[in-house]
mmCIF file with all atom_site columns, all heavy atoms in Angstrom:
data_model
loop_
_atom_site.group_PDB
_atom_site.id
_atom_site.type_symbol
_atom_site.label_atom_id
_atom_site.label_alt_id
_atom_site.label_comp_id
_atom_site.label_asym_id
_atom_site.label_entity_id
_atom_site.label_seq_id
_atom_site.pdbx_PDB_ins_code
_atom_site.Cartn_x
_atom_site.Cartn_y
_atom_site.Cartn_z
_atom_site.occupancy
_atom_site.B_iso_or_equiv
_atom_site.pdbx_formal_charge
_atom_site.auth_seq_id
_atom_site.auth_comp_id
_atom_site.auth_asym_id
_atom_site.auth_atom_id
_atom_site.pdbx_PDB_model_num
ATOM   1   N N   . ILE S 1 45  ? 7.371   9.224  -3.287  1.00 95.00 ? 323 ILE S N   1
ATOM   2   C CA  . ILE S 1 45  ? 7.633   7.808  -3.549  1.00 95.00 ? 323 ILE S CA  1
ATOM   3   C C   . ILE S 1 45  ? 7.023   7.466  -4.910  1.00 95.00 ? 323 ILE S C   1
ATOM   4   O O   . ILE S 1 45  ? 5.811   7.508  -5.091  1.00 95.00 ? 323 ILE S O   1
ATOM   5   C CB  . ILE S 1 45  ? 7.012   6.907  -2.440  1.00 95.00 ? 323 ILE S CB  1
ATOM   6   C CG1 . ILE S 1 45  ? 7.393   7.416  -1.038  1.00 95.00 ? 323 ILE S CG1 1
ATOM   7   C CG2 . ILE S 1 45  ? 7.451   5.463  -2.624  1.00 95.00 ? 323 ILE S CG2 1
ATOM   8   C CD1 . ILE S 1 45  ? 8.861   7.473  -0.756  1.00 95.00 ? 323 ILE S CD1 1
ATOM   9   N N   . GLY S 1 48  ? 3.623   6.016  -7.752  1.00 94.00 ? 326 GLY S N   1
ATOM   10  C CA  . GLY S 1 48  ? 2.242   6.332  -7.386  1.00 94.00 ? 326 GLY S CA  1
ATOM   11  C C   . GLY S 1 48  ? 1.982   7.715  -6.835  1.00 94.00 ? 326 GLY S C   1
ATOM   12  O O   . GLY S 1 48  ? 0.893   8.255  -7.000  1.00 94.00 ? 326 GLY S O   1
ATOM   13  N N   . ILE S 1 71  ? 10.616  2.643  -5.495  1.00 89.00 ? 349 ILE S N   1
ATOM   14  C CA  . ILE S 1 71  ? 10.721  1.359  -4.833  1.00 89.00 ? 349 ILE S CA  1
ATOM   15  C C   . ILE S 1 71  ? 9.784   0.368  -5.510  1.00 89.00 ? 349 ILE S C   1
ATOM   16  O O   . ILE S 1 71  ? 8.862   0.761  -6.213  1.00 89.00 ? 349 ILE S O   1
ATOM   17  C CB  . ILE S 1 71  ? 10.333  1.467  -3.351  1.00 89.00 ? 349 ILE S CB  1
ATOM   18  C CG1 . ILE S 1 71  ? 9.018   2.225  -3.223  1.00 89.00 ? 349 ILE S CG1 1
ATOM   19  C CG2 . ILE S 1 71  ? 11.396  2.154  -2.545  1.00 89.00 ? 349 ILE S CG2 1
ATOM   20  C CD1 . ILE S 1 71  ? 8.304   1.870  -2.003  1.00 89.00 ? 349 ILE S CD1 1
ATOM   21  N N   . SER S 1 73  ? 7.464   -2.996 -4.551  1.00 69.00 ? 351 SER S N   1
ATOM   22  C CA  . SER S 1 73  ? 7.008   -3.975 -3.565  1.00 69.00 ? 351 SER S CA  1
ATOM   23  C C   . SER S 1 73  ? 5.838   -4.780 -4.119  1.00 69.00 ? 351 SER S C   1
ATOM   24  O O   . SER S 1 73  ? 5.358   -5.686 -3.480  1.00 69.00 ? 351 SER S O   1
ATOM   25  C CB  . SER S 1 73  ? 6.580   -3.281 -2.272  1.00 69.00 ? 351 SER S CB  1
ATOM   26  O OG  . SER S 1 73  ? 5.554   -2.360 -2.535  1.00 69.00 ? 351 SER S OG  1
ATOM   27  N N   . TYR S 1 74  ? 5.409   -4.441 -5.338  1.00 54.00 ? 352 TYR S N   1
ATOM   28  C CA  . TYR S 1 74  ? 4.155   -5.029 -5.817  1.00 54.00 ? 352 TYR S CA  1
ATOM   29  C C   . TYR S 1 74  ? 4.240   -5.831 -7.112  1.00 54.00 ? 352 TYR S C   1
ATOM   30  O O   . TYR S 1 74  ? 3.495   -6.767 -7.280  1.00 54.00 ? 352 TYR S O   1
ATOM   31  C CB  . TYR S 1 74  ? 3.116   -3.910 -6.017  1.00 54.00 ? 352 TYR S CB  1
ATOM   32  C CG  . TYR S 1 74  ? 2.037   -3.924 -4.985  1.00 54.00 ? 352 TYR S CG  1
ATOM   33  C CD1 . TYR S 1 74  ? 2.347   -3.671 -3.665  1.00 54.00 ? 352 TYR S CD1 1
ATOM   34  C CD2 . TYR S 1 74  ? 0.728   -4.214 -5.318  1.00 54.00 ? 352 TYR S CD2 1
ATOM   35  C CE1 . TYR S 1 74  ? 1.374   -3.686 -2.691  1.00 54.00 ? 352 TYR S CE1 1
ATOM   36  C CE2 . TYR S 1 74  ? -0.253  -4.231 -4.357  1.00 54.00 ? 352 TYR S CE2 1
ATOM   37  C CZ  . TYR S 1 74  ? 0.065   -3.971 -3.043  1.00 54.00 ? 352 TYR S CZ  1
ATOM   38  O OH  . TYR S 1 74  ? -0.901  -3.993 -2.094  1.00 54.00 ? 352 TYR S OH  1
ATOM   39  N N   . THR S 1 78  ? -1.862  -7.577 -7.345  1.00 54.00 ? 356 THR S N   1
ATOM   40  C CA  . THR S 1 78  ? -2.491  -6.679 -6.381  1.00 54.00 ? 356 THR S CA  1
ATOM   41  C C   . THR S 1 78  ? -2.224  -7.126 -4.940  1.00 54.00 ? 356 THR S C   1
ATOM   42  O O   . THR S 1 78  ? -2.859  -6.674 -4.024  1.00 54.00 ? 356 THR S O   1
ATOM   43  C CB  . THR S 1 78  ? -4.013  -6.614 -6.617  1.00 54.00 ? 356 THR S CB  1
ATOM   44  O OG1 . THR S 1 78  ? -4.539  -7.932 -6.539  1.00 54.00 ? 356 THR S OG1 1
ATOM   45  C CG2 . THR S 1 78  ? -4.338  -6.014 -7.970  1.00 54.00 ? 356 THR S CG2 1
ATOM   46  N N   . THR S 1 80  ? 0.564   -7.543 -1.720  1.00 60.00 ? 358 THR S N   1
ATOM   47  C CA  . THR S 1 80  ? 1.872   -7.087 -1.249  1.00 60.00 ? 358 THR S CA  1
ATOM   48  C C   . THR S 1 80  ? 2.759   -8.297 -0.969  1.00 60.00 ? 358 THR S C   1
ATOM   49  O O   . THR S 1 80  ? 2.284   -9.345 -0.544  1.00 60.00 ? 358 THR S O   1
ATOM   50  C CB  . THR S 1 80  ? 1.718   -6.208 0.005   1.00 60.00 ? 358 THR S CB  1
ATOM   51  O OG1 . THR S 1 80  ? 2.953   -5.552 0.235   1.00 60.00 ? 358 THR S OG1 1
ATOM   52  C CG2 . THR S 1 80  ? 1.345   -7.004 1.230   1.00 60.00 ? 358 THR S CG2 1
ATOM   53  N N   . VAL S 1 84  ? 10.754  -5.204 -0.146  1.00 82.00 ? 362 VAL S N   1
ATOM   54  C CA  . VAL S 1 84  ? 10.879  -3.853 -0.682  1.00 82.00 ? 362 VAL S CA  1
ATOM   55  C C   . VAL S 1 84  ? 12.259  -3.697 -1.309  1.00 82.00 ? 362 VAL S C   1
ATOM   56  O O   . VAL S 1 84  ? 13.264  -3.997 -0.691  1.00 82.00 ? 362 VAL S O   1
ATOM   57  C CB  . VAL S 1 84  ? 10.699  -2.807 0.451   1.00 82.00 ? 362 VAL S CB  1
ATOM   58  C CG1 . VAL S 1 84  ? 10.888  -1.403 -0.087  1.00 82.00 ? 362 VAL S CG1 1
ATOM   59  C CG2 . VAL S 1 84  ? 9.329   -2.956 1.086   1.00 82.00 ? 362 VAL S CG2 1
ATOM   60  N N   . GLU S 1 103 ? 3.417   9.776  0.226   1.00 97.00 ? 381 GLU S N   1
ATOM   61  C CA  . GLU S 1 103 ? 3.067   8.455  -0.314  1.00 97.00 ? 381 GLU S CA  1
ATOM   62  C C   . GLU S 1 103 ? 1.616   8.478  -0.808  1.00 97.00 ? 381 GLU S C   1
ATOM   63  O O   . GLU S 1 103 ? 0.770   9.195  -0.266  1.00 97.00 ? 381 GLU S O   1
ATOM   64  C CB  . GLU S 1 103 ? 3.273   7.420  0.809   1.00 97.00 ? 381 GLU S CB  1
ATOM   65  C CG  . GLU S 1 103 ? 2.876   5.999  0.504   1.00 97.00 ? 381 GLU S CG  1
ATOM   66  C CD  . GLU S 1 103 ? 3.692   5.313  -0.578  1.00 97.00 ? 381 GLU S CD  1
ATOM   67  O OE1 . GLU S 1 103 ? 3.775   5.872  -1.676  1.00 97.00 ? 381 GLU S OE1 1
ATOM   68  O OE2 . GLU S 1 103 ? 4.195   4.200  -0.342  1.00 97.00 ? 381 GLU S OE2 1
ATOM   69  N N   . ASP S 1 104 ? 1.335   7.686  -1.836  1.00 97.00 ? 382 ASP S N   1
ATOM   70  C CA  . ASP S 1 104 ? -0.033  7.617  -2.356  1.00 97.00 ? 382 ASP S CA  1
ATOM   71  C C   . ASP S 1 104 ? -0.949  6.835  -1.427  1.00 97.00 ? 382 ASP S C   1
ATOM   72  O O   . ASP S 1 104 ? -2.003  7.311  -1.020  1.00 97.00 ? 382 ASP S O   1
ATOM   73  C CB  . ASP S 1 104 ? -0.046  7.004  -3.777  1.00 97.00 ? 382 ASP S CB  1
ATOM   74  C CG  . ASP S 1 104 ? 0.736   5.682  -3.860  1.00 97.00 ? 382 ASP S CG  1
ATOM   75  O OD1 . ASP S 1 104 ? 1.297   5.243  -2.834  1.00 97.00 ? 382 ASP S OD1 1
ATOM   76  O OD2 . ASP S 1 104 ? 0.779   5.106  -4.956  1.00 97.00 ? 382 ASP S OD2 1
ATOM   77  N N   . ILE S 1 105 ? -0.539  5.621  -1.087  1.00 96.00 ? 383 ILE S N   1
ATOM   78  C CA  . ILE S 1 105 ? -1.438  4.742  -0.320  1.00 96.00 ? 383 ILE S CA  1
ATOM   79  C C   . ILE S 1 105 ? -0.639  3.832  0.605   1.00 96.00 ? 383 ILE S C   1
ATOM   80  O O   . ILE S 1 105 ? 0.422   3.336  0.225   1.00 96.00 ? 383 ILE S O   1
ATOM   81  C CB  . ILE S 1 105 ? -2.334  3.930  -1.297  1.00 96.00 ? 383 ILE S CB  1
ATOM   82  C CG1 . ILE S 1 105 ? -3.364  3.098  -0.530  1.00 96.00 ? 383 ILE S CG1 1
ATOM   83  C CG2 . ILE S 1 105 ? -1.530  3.062  -2.225  1.00 96.00 ? 383 ILE S CG2 1
ATOM   84  C CD1 . ILE S 1 105 ? -4.497  2.572  -1.408  1.00 96.00 ? 383 ILE S CD1 1
ATOM   85  N N   . ILE S 1 106 ? -1.165  3.666  1.807   1.00 95.00 ? 384 ILE S N   1
ATOM   86  C CA  . ILE S 1 106 ? -0.572  2.710  2.747   1.00 95.00 ? 384 ILE S CA  1
ATOM   87  C C   . ILE S 1 106 ? -1.531  1.525  2.836   1.00 95.00 ? 384 ILE S C   1
ATOM   88  O O   . ILE S 1 106 ? -2.719  1.700  3.089   1.00 95.00 ? 384 ILE S O   1
ATOM   89  C CB  . ILE S 1 106 ? -0.381  3.327  4.144   1.00 95.00 ? 384 ILE S CB  1
ATOM   90  C CG1 . ILE S 1 106 ? 0.503   4.566  4.060   1.00 95.00 ? 384 ILE S CG1 1
ATOM   91  C CG2 . ILE S 1 106 ? 0.214   2.301  5.110   1.00 95.00 ? 384 ILE S CG2 1
ATOM   92  C CD1 . ILE S 1 106 ? 0.603   5.344  5.366   1.00 95.00 ? 384 ILE S CD1 1
ATOM   93  N N   . ASP S 1 107 ? -1.013  0.346  2.612   1.00 93.00 ? 385 ASP S N   1
ATOM   94  C CA  . ASP S 1 107 ? -1.830  -0.872 2.693   1.00 93.00 ? 385 ASP S CA  1
ATOM   95  C C   . ASP S 1 107 ? -1.409  -1.601 3.966   1.00 93.00 ? 385 ASP S C   1
ATOM   96  O O   . ASP S 1 107 ? -1.879  -1.278 5.058   1.00 93.00 ? 385 ASP S O   1
ATOM   97  C CB  . ASP S 1 107 ? -1.597  -1.685 1.412   1.00 93.00 ? 385 ASP S CB  1
ATOM   98  C CG  . ASP S 1 107 ? -2.489  -2.906 1.299   1.00 93.00 ? 385 ASP S CG  1
ATOM   99  O OD1 . ASP S 1 107 ? -3.180  -3.225 2.272   1.00 93.00 ? 385 ASP S OD1 1
ATOM   100 O OD2 . ASP S 1 107 ? -2.497  -3.558 0.247   1.00 93.00 ? 385 ASP S OD2 1
ATOM   101 N N   . THR S 1 108 ? -0.479  -2.537 3.877   1.00 91.00 ? 386 THR S N   1
ATOM   102 C CA  . THR S 1 108 ? -0.011  -3.222 5.092   1.00 91.00 ? 386 THR S CA  1
ATOM   103 C C   . THR S 1 108 ? 0.901   -2.321 5.931   1.00 91.00 ? 386 THR S C   1
ATOM   104 O O   . THR S 1 108 ? 1.085   -2.553 7.120   1.00 91.00 ? 386 THR S O   1
ATOM   105 C CB  . THR S 1 108 ? 0.807   -4.476 4.721   1.00 91.00 ? 386 THR S CB  1
ATOM   106 O OG1 . THR S 1 108 ? 1.942   -4.045 3.965   1.00 91.00 ? 386 THR S OG1 1
ATOM   107 C CG2 . THR S 1 108 ? -0.007  -5.448 3.916   1.00 91.00 ? 386 THR S CG2 1
ATOM   108 N N   . GLY S 1 109 ? 1.515   -1.340 5.293   1.00 92.00 ? 387 GLY S N   1
ATOM   109 C CA  . GLY S 1 109 ? 2.475   -0.472 5.988   1.00 92.00 ? 387 GLY S CA  1
ATOM   110 C C   . GLY S 1 109 ? 3.908   -0.958 5.864   1.00 92.00 ? 387 GLY S C   1
ATOM   111 O O   . GLY S 1 109 ? 4.839   -0.295 6.316   1.00 92.00 ? 387 GLY S O   1
ATOM   112 N N   . LEU S 1 110 ? 4.093   -2.118 5.241   1.00 90.00 ? 388 LEU S N   1
ATOM   113 C CA  . LEU S 1 110 ? 5.439   -2.702 5.148   1.00 90.00 ? 388 LEU S CA  1
ATOM   114 C C   . LEU S 1 110 ? 6.405   -1.805 4.369   1.00 90.00 ? 388 LEU S C   1
ATOM   115 O O   . LEU S 1 110 ? 7.551   -1.620 4.763   1.00 90.00 ? 388 LEU S O   1
ATOM   116 C CB  . LEU S 1 110 ? 5.369   -4.069 4.452   1.00 90.00 ? 388 LEU S CB  1
ATOM   117 C CG  . LEU S 1 110 ? 4.829   -5.223 5.295   1.00 90.00 ? 388 LEU S CG  1
ATOM   118 C CD1 . LEU S 1 110 ? 4.535   -6.439 4.418   1.00 90.00 ? 388 LEU S CD1 1
ATOM   119 C CD2 . LEU S 1 110 ? 5.816   -5.585 6.391   1.00 90.00 ? 388 LEU S CD2 1
ATOM   120 N N   . THR S 1 111 ? 5.912   -1.232 3.282   1.00 90.00 ? 389 THR S N   1
ATOM   121 C CA  . THR S 1 111 ? 6.777   -0.405 2.443   1.00 90.00 ? 389 THR S CA  1
ATOM   122 C C   . THR S 1 111 ? 7.273   0.819  3.208   1.00 90.00 ? 389 THR S C   1
ATOM   123 O O   . THR S 1 111 ? 8.479   1.079  3.275   1.00 90.00 ? 389 THR S O   1
ATOM   124 C CB  . THR S 1 111 ? 6.004   0.064  1.181   1.00 90.00 ? 389 THR S CB  1
ATOM   125 O OG1 . THR S 1 111 ? 5.446   -1.073 0.551   1.00 90.00 ? 389 THR S OG1 1
ATOM   126 C CG2 . THR S 1 111 ? 6.894   0.815  0.226   1.00 90.00 ? 389 THR S CG2 1
ATOM   127 N N   . LEU S 1 112 ? 6.342   1.542  3.806   1.00 92.00 ? 390 LEU S N   1
ATOM   128 C CA  . LEU S 1 112 ? 6.739   2.758  4.524   1.00 92.00 ? 390 LEU S CA  1
ATOM   129 C C   . LEU S 1 112 ? 7.546   2.440  5.767   1.00 92.00 ? 390 LEU S C   1
ATOM   130 O O   . LEU S 1 112 ? 8.442   3.198  6.138   1.00 92.00 ? 390 LEU S O   1
ATOM   131 C CB  . LEU S 1 112 ? 5.510   3.576  4.909   1.00 92.00 ? 390 LEU S CB  1
ATOM   132 C CG  . LEU S 1 112 ? 5.099   4.657  3.935   1.00 92.00 ? 390 LEU S CG  1
ATOM   133 C CD1 . LEU S 1 112 ? 4.066   5.565  4.570   1.00 92.00 ? 390 LEU S CD1 1
ATOM   134 C CD2 . LEU S 1 112 ? 6.293   5.490  3.491   1.00 92.00 ? 390 LEU S CD2 1
ATOM   135 N N   . LYS S 1 135 ? -5.315  2.383  4.121   1.00 95.00 ? 413 LYS S N   1
ATOM   136 C CA  . LYS S 1 135 ? -6.296  1.283  4.093   1.00 95.00 ? 413 LYS S CA  1
ATOM   137 C C   . LYS S 1 135 ? -6.514  0.687  5.466   1.00 95.00 ? 413 LYS S C   1
ATOM   138 O O   . LYS S 1 135 ? -5.567  0.515  6.232   1.00 95.00 ? 413 LYS S O   1
ATOM   139 C CB  . LYS S 1 135 ? -5.796  0.173  3.165   1.00 95.00 ? 413 LYS S CB  1
ATOM   140 C CG  . LYS S 1 135 ? -6.149  0.378  1.740   1.00 95.00 ? 413 LYS S CG  1
ATOM   141 C CD  . LYS S 1 135 ? -5.898  -0.905 0.964   1.00 95.00 ? 413 LYS S CD  1
ATOM   142 C CE  . LYS S 1 135 ? -6.077  -0.656 -0.508  1.00 95.00 ? 413 LYS S CE  1
ATOM   143 N NZ  . LYS S 1 135 ? -5.710  -1.824 -1.306  1.00 95.00 ? 413 LYS S NZ  1
ATOM   144 N N   . LYS S 1 140 ? -1.830  -4.834 10.183  1.00 84.00 ? 418 LYS S N   1
ATOM   145 C CA  . LYS S 1 140 ? -1.139  -3.661 9.659   1.00 84.00 ? 418 LYS S CA  1
ATOM   146 C C   . LYS S 1 140 ? 0.066   -3.312 10.529  1.00 84.00 ? 418 LYS S C   1
ATOM   147 O O   . LYS S 1 140 ? -0.005  -3.439 11.748  1.00 84.00 ? 418 LYS S O   1
ATOM   148 C CB  . LYS S 1 140 ? -2.126  -2.500 9.690   1.00 84.00 ? 418 LYS S CB  1
ATOM   149 C CG  . LYS S 1 140 ? -1.894  -1.454 8.646   1.00 84.00 ? 418 LYS S CG  1
ATOM   150 C CD  . LYS S 1 140 ? -3.012  -0.437 8.700   1.00 84.00 ? 418 LYS S CD  1
ATOM   151 C CE  . LYS S 1 140 ? -2.683  0.757  7.855   1.00 84.00 ? 418 LYS S CE  1
ATOM   152 N NZ  . LYS S 1 140 ? -2.930  0.534  6.447   1.00 84.00 ? 418 LYS S NZ  1
ATOM   153 N N   . ILE S 1 152 ? -9.486  4.372  3.991   1.00 96.00 ? 430 ILE S N   1
ATOM   154 C CA  . ILE S 1 152 ? -10.385 3.648  3.072   1.00 96.00 ? 430 ILE S CA  1
ATOM   155 C C   . ILE S 1 152 ? -10.492 2.160  3.404   1.00 96.00 ? 430 ILE S C   1
ATOM   156 O O   . ILE S 1 152 ? -9.567  1.576  3.951   1.00 96.00 ? 430 ILE S O   1
ATOM   157 C CB  . ILE S 1 152 ? -9.968  3.805  1.586   1.00 96.00 ? 430 ILE S CB  1
ATOM   158 C CG1 . ILE S 1 152 ? -8.596  3.168  1.318   1.00 96.00 ? 430 ILE S CG1 1
ATOM   159 C CG2 . ILE S 1 152 ? -9.976  5.245  1.152   1.00 96.00 ? 430 ILE S CG2 1
ATOM   160 C CD1 . ILE S 1 152 ? -8.367  2.911  -0.158  1.00 96.00 ? 430 ILE S CD1 1
ATOM   161 N N   . VAL S 1 155 ? -10.134 -2.155 -0.376  1.00 94.00 ? 433 VAL S N   1
ATOM   162 C CA  . VAL S 1 155 ? -10.442 -2.446 -1.785  1.00 94.00 ? 433 VAL S CA  1
ATOM   163 C C   . VAL S 1 155 ? -9.283  -1.934 -2.634  1.00 94.00 ? 433 VAL S C   1
ATOM   164 O O   . VAL S 1 155 ? -8.620  -0.970 -2.249  1.00 94.00 ? 433 VAL S O   1
ATOM   165 C CB  . VAL S 1 155 ? -11.742 -1.745 -2.274  1.00 94.00 ? 433 VAL S CB  1
ATOM   166 C CG1 . VAL S 1 155 ? -12.970 -2.386 -1.688  1.00 94.00 ? 433 VAL S CG1 1
ATOM   167 C CG2 . VAL S 1 155 ? -11.700 -0.254 -1.992  1.00 94.00 ? 433 VAL S CG2 1
ATOM   168 N N   . PHE S 1 156 ? -9.048  -2.584 -3.760  1.00 95.00 ? 434 PHE S N   1
ATOM   169 C CA  . PHE S 1 156 ? -7.963  -2.138 -4.639  1.00 95.00 ? 434 PHE S CA  1
ATOM   170 C C   . PHE S 1 156 ? -8.447  -0.966 -5.472  1.00 95.00 ? 434 PHE S C   1
ATOM   171 O O   . PHE S 1 156 ? -9.480  -1.042 -6.123  1.00 95.00 ? 434 PHE S O   1
ATOM   172 C CB  . PHE S 1 156 ? -7.490  -3.281 -5.541  1.00 95.00 ? 434 PHE S CB  1
ATOM   173 C CG  . PHE S 1 156 ? -6.186  -2.983 -6.201  1.00 95.00 ? 434 PHE S CG  1
ATOM   174 C CD1 . PHE S 1 156 ? -4.986  -3.161 -5.521  1.00 95.00 ? 434 PHE S CD1 1
ATOM   175 C CD2 . PHE S 1 156 ? -6.144  -2.485 -7.504  1.00 95.00 ? 434 PHE S CD2 1
ATOM   176 C CE1 . PHE S 1 156 ? -3.766  -2.854 -6.113  1.00 95.00 ? 434 PHE S CE1 1
ATOM   177 C CE2 . PHE S 1 156 ? -4.926  -2.183 -8.113  1.00 95.00 ? 434 PHE S CE2 1
ATOM   178 C CZ  . PHE S 1 156 ? -3.742  -2.370 -7.417  1.00 95.00 ? 434 PHE S CZ  1
ATOM   179 N N   . VAL S 1 157 ? -7.711  0.132  -5.421  1.00 97.00 ? 435 VAL S N   1
ATOM   180 C CA  . VAL S 1 157 ? -8.142  1.351  -6.117  1.00 97.00 ? 435 VAL S CA  1
ATOM   181 C C   . VAL S 1 157 ? -7.097  1.818  -7.132  1.00 97.00 ? 435 VAL S C   1
ATOM   182 O O   . VAL S 1 157 ? -5.912  1.503  -6.998  1.00 97.00 ? 435 VAL S O   1
ATOM   183 C CB  . VAL S 1 157 ? -8.446  2.502  -5.123  1.00 97.00 ? 435 VAL S CB  1
ATOM   184 C CG1 . VAL S 1 157 ? -9.709  2.218  -4.332  1.00 97.00 ? 435 VAL S CG1 1
ATOM   185 C CG2 . VAL S 1 157 ? -7.273  2.775  -4.190  1.00 97.00 ? 435 VAL S CG2 1
ATOM   186 N N   . VAL S 1 158 ? -7.576  2.566  -8.120  1.00 97.00 ? 436 VAL S N   1
ATOM   187 C CA  . VAL S 1 158 ? -6.690  3.137  -9.139  1.00 97.00 ? 436 VAL S CA  1
ATOM   188 C C   . VAL S 1 158 ? -7.059  4.597  -9.368  1.00 97.00 ? 436 VAL S C   1
ATOM   189 O O   . VAL S 1 158 ? -8.108  5.067  -8.927  1.00 97.00 ? 436 VAL S O   1
ATOM   190 C CB  . VAL S 1 158 ? -6.801  2.385  -10.491 1.00 97.00 ? 436 VAL S CB  1
ATOM   191 C CG1 . VAL S 1 158 ? -6.305  0.965  -10.386 1.00 97.00 ? 436 VAL S CG1 1
ATOM   192 C CG2 . VAL S 1 158 ? -8.238  2.428  -11.021 1.00 97.00 ? 436 VAL S CG2 1
ATOM   193 N N   . GLY S 1 159 ? -6.194  5.279  -10.091 1.00 98.00 ? 437 GLY S N   1
ATOM   194 C CA  . GLY S 1 159 ? -6.433  6.681  -10.443 1.00 98.00 ? 437 GLY S CA  1
ATOM   195 C C   . GLY S 1 159 ? -5.640  7.623  -9.566  1.00 98.00 ? 437 GLY S C   1
ATOM   196 O O   . GLY S 1 159 ? -5.101  7.219  -8.533  1.00 98.00 ? 437 GLY S O   1
ATOM   197 N N   . LEU S 1 162 ? -2.372  6.209  -8.957  1.00 97.00 ? 440 LEU S N   1
ATOM   198 C CA  . LEU S 1 162 ? -2.361  4.773  -8.638  1.00 97.00 ? 440 LEU S CA  1
ATOM   199 C C   . LEU S 1 162 ? -2.687  3.944  -9.879  1.00 97.00 ? 440 LEU S C   1
ATOM   200 O O   . LEU S 1 162 ? -3.590  4.290  -10.643 1.00 97.00 ? 440 LEU S O   1
ATOM   201 C CB  . LEU S 1 162 ? -3.398  4.474  -7.555  1.00 97.00 ? 440 LEU S CB  1
ATOM   202 C CG  . LEU S 1 162 ? -3.056  5.011  -6.172  1.00 97.00 ? 440 LEU S CG  1
ATOM   203 C CD1 . LEU S 1 162 ? -4.314  5.201  -5.354  1.00 97.00 ? 440 LEU S CD1 1
ATOM   204 C CD2 . LEU S 1 162 ? -2.097  4.072  -5.471  1.00 97.00 ? 440 LEU S CD2 1
ATOM   205 N N   . ASP S 1 163 ? -1.980  2.831  -10.031 1.00 95.00 ? 441 ASP S N   1
ATOM   206 C CA  . ASP S 1 163 ? -2.122  2.049  -11.255 1.00 95.00 ? 441 ASP S CA  1
ATOM   207 C C   . ASP S 1 163 ? -2.712  0.668  -11.015 1.00 95.00 ? 441 ASP S C   1
ATOM   208 O O   . ASP S 1 163 ? -2.801  0.183  -9.888  1.00 95.00 ? 441 ASP S O   1
ATOM   209 C CB  . ASP S 1 163 ? -0.746  1.849  -11.905 1.00 95.00 ? 441 ASP S CB  1
ATOM   210 C CG  . ASP S 1 163 ? 0.091   0.818  -11.149 1.00 95.00 ? 441 ASP S CG  1
ATOM   211 O OD1 . ASP S 1 163 ? 0.156   0.908  -9.907  1.00 95.00 ? 441 ASP S OD1 1
ATOM   212 O OD2 . ASP S 1 163 ? 0.649   -0.086 -11.791 1.00 95.00 ? 441 ASP S OD2 1
ATOM   213 N N   . CYS S 1 164 ? -3.089  0.058  -12.135 1.00 93.00 ? 442 CYS S N   1
ATOM   214 C CA  . CYS S 1 164 ? -3.332  -1.384 -12.176 1.00 93.00 ? 442 CYS S CA  1
ATOM   215 C C   . CYS S 1 164 ? -2.525  -1.864 -13.369 1.00 93.00 ? 442 CYS S C   1
ATOM   216 O O   . CYS S 1 164 ? -2.847  -1.496 -14.508 1.00 93.00 ? 442 CYS S O   1
ATOM   217 C CB  . CYS S 1 164 ? -4.825  -1.683 -12.353 1.00 93.00 ? 442 CYS S CB  1
ATOM   218 S SG  . CYS S 1 164 ? -5.179  -3.433 -12.371 1.00 93.00 ? 442 CYS S SG  1
HETATM 219 P P1  . 5GP V 2 .   ? 2.117   -1.688 1.654   1.00 91.95 ? 734 5GP V P1  1
HETATM 220 O O1  . 5GP V 2 .   ? 3.588   -1.944 1.729   1.00 91.95 ? 734 5GP V O1  1
HETATM 221 O O2  . 5GP V 2 .   ? 1.660   -0.618 2.612   1.00 91.95 ? 734 5GP V O2  1
HETATM 222 O O3  . 5GP V 2 .   ? 1.328   -2.956 1.817   1.00 91.95 ? 734 5GP V O3  1
HETATM 223 O O4  . 5GP V 2 .   ? 1.780   -1.239 0.186   1.00 91.95 ? 734 5GP V O4  1
HETATM 224 C C1  . 5GP V 2 .   ? 2.046   0.039  -0.267  1.00 91.95 ? 734 5GP V C1  1
HETATM 225 C C2  . 5GP V 2 .   ? 2.140   0.090  -1.768  1.00 91.95 ? 734 5GP V C2  1
HETATM 226 O O5  . 5GP V 2 .   ? 1.318   -0.899 -2.388  1.00 91.95 ? 734 5GP V O5  1
HETATM 227 C C3  . 5GP V 2 .   ? 1.643   1.418  -2.300  1.00 91.95 ? 734 5GP V C3  1
HETATM 228 O O6  . 5GP V 2 .   ? 2.680   2.354  -2.396  1.00 91.95 ? 734 5GP V O6  1
HETATM 229 C C4  . 5GP V 2 .   ? 1.096   1.042  -3.659  1.00 91.95 ? 734 5GP V C4  1
HETATM 230 O O7  . 5GP V 2 .   ? 2.128   1.058  -4.604  1.00 91.95 ? 734 5GP V O7  1
HETATM 231 C C5  . 5GP V 2 .   ? 0.627   -0.385 -3.493  1.00 91.95 ? 734 5GP V C5  1
HETATM 232 N N1  . 5GP V 2 .   ? -0.812  -0.464 -3.211  1.00 91.95 ? 734 5GP V N1  1
HETATM 233 C C6  . 5GP V 2 .   ? -1.415  -0.816 -2.062  1.00 91.95 ? 734 5GP V C6  1
HETATM 234 N N2  . 5GP V 2 .   ? -2.753  -0.785 -2.168  1.00 91.95 ? 734 5GP V N2  1
HETATM 235 C C7  . 5GP V 2 .   ? -3.012  -0.387 -3.427  1.00 91.95 ? 734 5GP V C7  1
HETATM 236 C C8  . 5GP V 2 .   ? -4.236  -0.121 -4.155  1.00 91.95 ? 734 5GP V C8  1
HETATM 237 O O8  . 5GP V 2 .   ? -5.365  -0.249 -3.680  1.00 91.95 ? 734 5GP V O8  1
HETATM 238 N N3  . 5GP V 2 .   ? -4.076  0.290  -5.442  1.00 91.95 ? 734 5GP V N3  1
HETATM 239 C C9  . 5GP V 2 .   ? -2.869  0.447  -6.034  1.00 91.95 ? 734 5GP V C9  1
HETATM 240 N N4  . 5GP V 2 .   ? -2.850  0.854  -7.296  1.00 91.95 ? 734 5GP V N4  1
HETATM 241 N N5  . 5GP V 2 .   ? -1.708  0.230  -5.382  1.00 91.95 ? 734 5GP V N5  1
HETATM 242 C C10 . 5GP V 2 .   ? -1.777  -0.189 -4.093  1.00 91.95 ? 734 5GP V C10 1
#
Side-chain angles (χ1 to χ4, degrees):
I323 311 301
I349 48 155
S351 58
Y352 252 65
T356 57
T358 193
V362 177
E381 176 65 306
D382 50 359
I383 185 165
I384 302 173
D385 186 352
T386 61
L388 284 168
T389 307
L390 267 192
K413 274 193 187 174
K418 209 175 169 80
I430 64 162
V433 288
F434 194 81
V435 290
V436 294
L440 290 156
D441 75 313
C442 181

